[in-house]
Amino acid sequence: VFFGQRLPKQWYQRRVRGCGFEARKLFAASWVLTDIDLSGSMEAGYKAAFWKLFKYINGANDQGVKIDMTVPVVNRWHMNDKYEVLGADMAFYIPSVHQSNPPVPTDDSVTIDNWDDAIIYDRAFGGHRTDEAFYKKEFELLWKALFKENITPYTKMAITAGYTRPG
């Protein structure tokens, strides 16, 4: 791992591998979250969101505590029927030591969000990409692989996960 620590194994469970995808069950957990500003470039919005969350784990919270960073950094892309991005947010997993009482962010644009159990389907690709067309193509390839297996994905949200620090 280039930066931070991997999510604990009790946070997710591998379920199935298919042709072009993998399924995982993610267990309910608290995450720290902020919007990605898409009014300018995707890269600028991504970096600004990252640094807001990074400040939170470095003590910009009501307890003034530093929190270990985990990877991946998760981005949720909210889509319309044409797979165009309507909005996005970025999240860091809150480590288990803080799950029962997560520190409250001091920045009003950063929030704590509780996610329910979910089955997610993923497709791996390398590189640090910031162009929307590339992601759209990858999402469509994932959805095609799922349809081949008679799995109907929820196409109103796509999730990307990064395992290295931006920049």
Side-chain angles (χ1 to χ4, degrees):
V1 174
F2 180 71
F3 188 60
Q5 60 184 355
R6 289 202 178 274
L7 291 173
K9 291 289 184 190
Q10 70 270 19
W11 180 78
Y12 72 92
Q13 175 185 49
R14 281 201 168 104
R15 304 282 286 205
V16 178
R17 288 179 192 235
C19 182
F21 72 92
E22 179 178 78
R24 298 176 192 222
K25 179 177 183 177
L26 302 183
F27 300 111
S30 295
W31 293 73
V32 61
L33 178 85
T34 193
D35 288 337
I36 298 173
D37 180 1
L38 300 175
S39 63
S41 75
M42 182 190 294
E43 186 170 2
Y46 180 86
K47 285 182 179 181
F50 178 89
W51 290 113
K52 285 181 184 183
L53 297 178
F54 192 78
K55 287 177 185 173
Y56 167 81
I57 65 170
N58 274 287
N61 57 66
D62 69 337
Q63 297 175 25
V65 297
K66 290 190 177 190
I67 300 168
D68 288 338
M69 183 170 182
T70 58
V71 292
V73 174
V74 172
N75 304 297
R76 298 186 306 179
W77 307 93
H78 308 281
M79 319 284 271
N80 66 15
D81 292 332
K82 296 178 183 176
Y83 309 124
E84 297 167 332
V85 176
L86 300 175
D89 50 52
M90 178 182 289
F92 289 1
Y93 173 78
I94 297 175
S96 57
V97 67
H98 297 287
Q99 279 290 315
S100 64
N101 185 26
V104 175
T106 55
D107 180 338
D108 290 340
S109 68
V110 176
T111 60
I112 303 299
D113 199 25
N114 297 306
W115 295 0
D116 295 328
D117 286 357
I119 301 295
I120 64 158
Y121 301 94
D122 63 78
R123 174 181 169 78
F125 59 86
H128 178 70
R129 303 299 300 248
T130 58
D131 52 300
E132 245 182 86
F134 177 82
Y135 282 110
K136 183 178 177 182
K137 177 185 160 213
E138 289 297 323
F139 296 144
E140 288 172 350
L141 289 170
L142 173 60
W143 293 326
K144 285 178 184 178
L146 294 172
F147 282 124
K148 281 185 181 179
E149 299 290 328
N150 294 317
I151 299 169
T152 303
Y154 177 71
T155 58
K156 298 292 183 178
M157 180 189 303
I159 297 173
T160 58
Y163 290 85
T164 59
R165 94 169 76 182

